[in-house]
Amino acid sequence: MEYESSPVGHLFFGRDDAENDLADGLLNGMVFRPTYAYREALSGRKSLIIGRKGAGKSAICRQLAAPDGHPGSTVLITPDDAAGDEIRRFELQGVSGDTAKALIWRYVFAVHAARYLCEHARAAHGWRARSSVRALRGFLEANDETGDERLYDRLRRGVRGLQSANLSLKAFGIEAGLGLNGSSEGARAGRQLEVLERGVATVFSDLGCAGRHTLLFLVDQLEQVWTIDPDSHALVTGLLLASKQVTGRYGGAVRCTLFLRADIYDTLNFGDADKFHSDELRIAWTREELADLALARAAASLKTDLTPEQLWGNLFPATVSGEPTDEYLFRRSLPRPRDVIQFLNACRDVADQRSDRRITEGDVLTATEQFSRWKLTDLAREYSVTHPFLSRLFLLFDNYGYVVMRTALETRFEVNREQLQQQFPDYADSLTTQGVTDVLFGIGFLGVMRGHNVVYSDGAQVPPQPGEEEFHVHPCFRPALGGLGPVDLTAYSPNRMRNIHGGQNALVRSSSGSDIPLGVGRDFRLLDDVTRACERLLRQLMRAGLPDGVRDEVQAQIGRVLEDARRAREELHGGAAIDVTQHVLSTSDYFGNLAAQLADHGIREEPITHRLEDEARALIRSAGGALGAGAGSDSSP
């Protein structure tokens, strides 16, 4: 179908979260992109899917849980506050917190597997149940586990049964007590679970299901029950341990796939962590994948085929601020679907409020400001548990340029360090310049210059090293911070002063008796001094080791000074009355201020900074010297 112009009001890129996106119908087979992470999770090669908030973990999870997702049966587990609190409080005398939490997770998985097997045996293997299936049904009935209840209810019964060793195991021929009188709570709970898991494994074997279809547990949204306390660490660590044990316990008939926020996973520290590396997969999106996602969602909402050229040249403008629109948008958002969806919808909303049929460049620029404010606030909220001081750190970059040298960051941070450490005493050890630099890099707020490229963290990058000096605020956050330029330099503004006495220079008598304007020759020489000073600075600038954006900004300002000096000379030659001395002094002040501003940004020892200071002093000497004096700081190139 040939695409024709459609009202922006019909355009929609979907909801911010997978659950509501499914309800609205956009997150379906038509727009879901089967990424590498999805394919690896589907195949079972990866069982630990890690990603930042909004990276698409829940979308993969919901797709696997859909009827046409995983080919076997699935059980979706998403703990709420009540369930999380029950697990956090669960303790067993004689075992560590991690082990205790692993036992309660194993109980949840075993009961779900038992219920699945009983239903499957009846549906797929007839009414004549094997004795192992009857035993499993007997266990569920004796322990009130036959109903389709909330996770909290199942946990509550499991906690009570494991802590008091009163799970009814008669269906498996085991009487109460298990012959473990005098044993620890942990030992008794472990023995009870072994009996239950052996009963489940027997049914899987008897039915011969393991090779034909798999029961898949999907655990998502653990961030809803996560805090920074040790019990939360144990909750997640116990889940990891339980998932690995369950996968091996049932001979391939059961798999667990966990979806974890990167900031949660990266805080975990437990002895068996090295056993999970082969299971890990960190979600990473390329610009090409995000562009494909945007195109698919736009086409789905408009119910028509759509080409990239139609999306980025018809519905959206072809360029924004001189960049192709898709590059402009994706460069200014973090590489994850939620950010792209929100940014695109924001552009659409601005245009729709004006009842326009297309999104204009002005609409995109307006949405950019709004989106940047959202994301700066969202970033602080995303890491509010692990880094509650973030919003205070962001103030260190407010109304500065987006290029930040290490020395400038150290200076800004040291002014606030003591107050931050007092306000957040639990984090005082990490509230150092290197500590906050690592944090800001790790969350994607700062990038580091490596070679000729600015590198932003994707979860696999090493943190900034001591020898790395140049950092960049991510383009996503620059508008919200007022840092649209590489450095916050005062722009040069021409400030030539006209003579207020009749509009003409005063006259003096020369030694030959003729009347000549006072200091006309000197005025030309002073303006030539300014011109030569600018030319020397521009030559020095080409050799300076400044960040590219900073060099361009300094070059632009010195170029304005040079252009204004040349124009002043032409006006003076044409008879205009100009206070050249004041003009030169103003230029000297500007050079001095420019040097100070570069020093404030951490560019102190660069030759260009010293040259600016030298030229400023030389122009003062020129303006205050005798007739014909003033030749700049030197004549060297």
Side-chain angles (χ1 to χ4, degrees), residues 324-613:
T325 300
D326 56 340
E327 294 182 14
Y328 174 95
L329 292 167
F330 298 143
R331 194 166 70 86
R332 287 166 175 78
S333 61
L334 297 182
R336 49 190 182 183
R338 182 173 298 168
D339 284 29
V340 170
I341 290 169
Q342 289 175 343
F343 201 173
L344 294 171
N345 278 334
C347 296
R348 175 261 176 207
D349 291 347
V350 173
D352 192 44
Q353 288 173 7
R354 298 187 300 102
S355 300
D356 206 338
R357 296 176 63 84
R358 290 181 175 84
I359 299 167
T360 67
E361 180 176 8
D363 296 331
V364 176
L365 293 174
T366 299
T368 299
E369 296 280 346
Q370 181 187 55
F371 176 73
S372 182
R373 291 191 297 270
W374 285 348
K375 291 296 104 182
L376 191 64
T377 301
D378 290 346
L379 190 63
R381 290 172 178 166
E382 179 179 351
Y383 291 95
S384 61
V385 174
T386 51
H387 308 308
F389 47 79
L390 277 183
S391 58
R392 292 291 306 278
L393 291 184
F394 294 157
L395 296 177
L396 302 180
F397 304 88
D398 200 16
N399 291 316
Y400 285 95
Y402 63 77
V403 175
V404 188
M405 305 305 290
R406 183 182 290 274
T407 53
L409 182 55
E410 289 174 349
T411 300
R412 296 180 205 169
F413 176 73
E414 282 302 315
V415 174
N416 297 275
R417 179 177 57 83
E418 185 176 353
Q419 185 178 5
L420 281 167
Q421 291 177 343
Q422 290 176 353
Q423 188 173 354
F424 302 98
D426 293 342
Y427 303 85
D429 291 343
S430 59
L431 284 172
T432 63
T433 302
Q434 186 62 47
V436 300
T437 302
D438 290 346
V439 167
L440 293 174
F441 176 78
I443 66 174
F445 179 82
L446 281 184
V448 61
M449 177 63 74
R450 288 179 176 155
H452 298 289
N453 298 310
V454 180
V455 176
Y456 296 95
S457 176
D458 59 2
Q461 300 286 348
V462 298
Q465 302 302 296
E468 294 175 325
E469 301 293 327
E470 181 183 337
F471 304 98
H472 290 225
V473 175
H474 193 285
C476 177
F477 310 110
R478 294 173 190 174
L481 294 167
L484 297 179
V487 286
D488 183 29
L489 299 180
T490 302
Y492 174 75
S493 179
N495 190 28
R496 300 190 303 277
M497 297 184 64
R498 306 296 177 183
N499 188 293
I500 61 174
H501 300 294
Q504 295 181 355
N505 289 326
L507 299 181
V508 298
R509 184 76 57 183
S510 72
S511 58
S512 62
S514 60
D515 290 337
I516 61 171
L518 174 62
V520 168
R522 178 177 182 273
D523 286 349
F524 280 106
R525 290 188 182 94
L526 285 174
L527 290 173
D528 288 343
D529 284 347
V530 173
T531 298
R532 286 191 292 270
C534 292
E535 291 170 345
R536 285 191 293 270
L537 286 167
L538 291 172
R539 289 195 294 271
Q540 182 74 57
L541 191 60
M542 297 305 295
R543 306 193 298 273
L546 298 180
D548 292 341
V550 176
R551 180 189 294 109
D552 294 343
E553 182 67 19
V554 175
Q555 183 178 27
Q557 298 306 326
I558 294 175
R560 294 183 67 185
V561 177
L562 177 60
E563 180 184 356
D564 189 52
R566 289 171 175 169
R567 186 166 57 248
R569 199 180 194 284
E570 292 176 2
E571 293 176 3
L572 189 66
H573 185 74
I578 300 174
D579 189 336
V580 174
T581 298
Q582 183 59 44
H583 177 93
V584 175
L585 291 175
S586 295
T587 302
S588 172
D589 287 344
Y590 183 73
F591 286 165
N593 290 332
L594 195 58
Q597 287 178 307
L598 289 175
D600 287 343
H601 283 83
I603 306 171
R604 295 188 178 92
E605 301 305 323
E606 276 291 333
I608 186 63
T609 306
H610 299 311
R611 172 70 80 166
L612 282 163
E613 294 168 343

Side-chain angles (χ1 to χ4, degrees), residues 64-363:
L64 290 171
D68 58 348
H70 173 66
S73 296
T74 59
V75 176
L76 177 61
I77 300 174
T78 55
D80 57 14
D81 288 339
D85 193 48
E86 197 69 40
I87 299 175
R88 277 195 298 268
R89 292 201 311 264
F90 181 64
E91 298 175 346
L92 290 171
Q93 177 265 326
V95 297
S96 68
D98 293 354
T99 301
K101 270 60 169 181
L103 290 173
I104 190 62
W105 279 115
R106 283 168 56 190
Y107 174 82
V108 169
F109 292 144
V111 170
H112 273 297
R115 296 183 69 248
Y116 158 75
L117 283 170
C118 292
E119 294 171 3
H120 173 73
R122 178 176 298 163
H125 297 271
W127 287 96
R128 190 181 178 114
R130 296 172 180 264
S131 60
S132 58
V133 176
R134 291 196 299 271
L136 213 53
R137 285 182 185 147
F139 168 83
L140 294 175
E141 292 170 357
N143 291 279
D144 296 324
E145 291 287 8
T146 56
D148 189 12
E149 296 176 313
R150 296 182 306 158
L151 175 62
Y152 166 74
D153 298 315
R154 181 151 293 128
L155 283 166
R156 187 166 50 82
R157 285 192 295 270
V159 165
R160 185 172 61 246
L162 292 176
Q163 283 181 333
S164 60
N166 66 357
L167 283 181
S168 176
L169 300 173
K170 289 183 179 181
F172 301 116
I174 305 295
E175 295 299 326
L178 301 178
L180 291 176
N181 292 331
S183 300
S184 69
E185 287 181 340
R188 293 196 299 270
R191 175 61 178 143
Q192 290 184 103
L193 268 177
E194 288 174 6
V195 173
L196 171 58
E197 289 173 338
R198 186 168 60 246
V200 172
T202 299
V203 175
F204 272 121
S205 177
D206 287 350
L207 295 179
C209 296
R212 290 183 289 159
H213 44 77
T214 303
L215 173 63
L216 177 61
F217 290 114
L218 302 167
V219 186
D220 191 21
Q221 295 186 358
L222 287 168
E223 62 272 14
Q224 303 296 327
V225 298
W226 168 261
T227 62
I228 201 64
D229 62 83
D231 286 332
S232 287
H233 282 73
L235 181 153
V236 179
T237 301
L239 172 61
L240 291 169
L241 297 173
S243 68
K244 184 170 283 291
Q245 181 157 351
V246 165
T247 300
R249 183 70 178 83
Y250 299 124
V254 175
R255 286 198 289 111
C256 295
T257 301
L258 315 181
F259 299 85
L260 286 178
R261 281 245 304 257
D263 56 317
I264 294 176
Y265 186 71
D266 291 340
T267 64
L268 301 179
N269 184 16
F270 60 106
D272 288 337
D274 60 324
K275 296 180 181 179
F276 290 86
H277 292 323
S278 296
D279 300 322
E280 297 174 9
L281 189 149
R282 290 182 182 263
I283 298 176
W285 287 81
T286 65
R287 287 192 183 180
E288 292 74 18
E289 289 172 332
L290 291 171
D292 179 56
L293 178 144
L295 183 65
R297 286 174 172 267
S301 68
L302 295 173
K303 296 180 174 59
T304 185
D305 293 332
L306 201 63
T307 67
E309 293 75 21
Q310 290 167 337
L311 178 61
W312 307 119
N314 192 345
L315 285 170
F316 280 82
T319 62
V320 177
S321 296
E323 288 184 73
T325 300
D326 56 340
E327 294 182 14
Y328 174 95
L329 292 167
F330 298 143
R331 194 166 70 86
R332 287 166 175 78
S333 61
L334 297 182
R336 49 190 182 183
R338 182 173 298 168
D339 284 29
V340 170
I341 290 169
Q342 289 175 343
F343 201 173
L344 294 171
N345 278 334
C347 296
R348 175 261 176 207
D349 291 347
V350 173
D352 192 44
Q353 288 173 7
R354 298 187 300 102
S355 300
D356 206 338
R357 296 176 63 84
R358 290 181 175 84
I359 299 167
T360 67
E361 180 176 8
D363 296 331

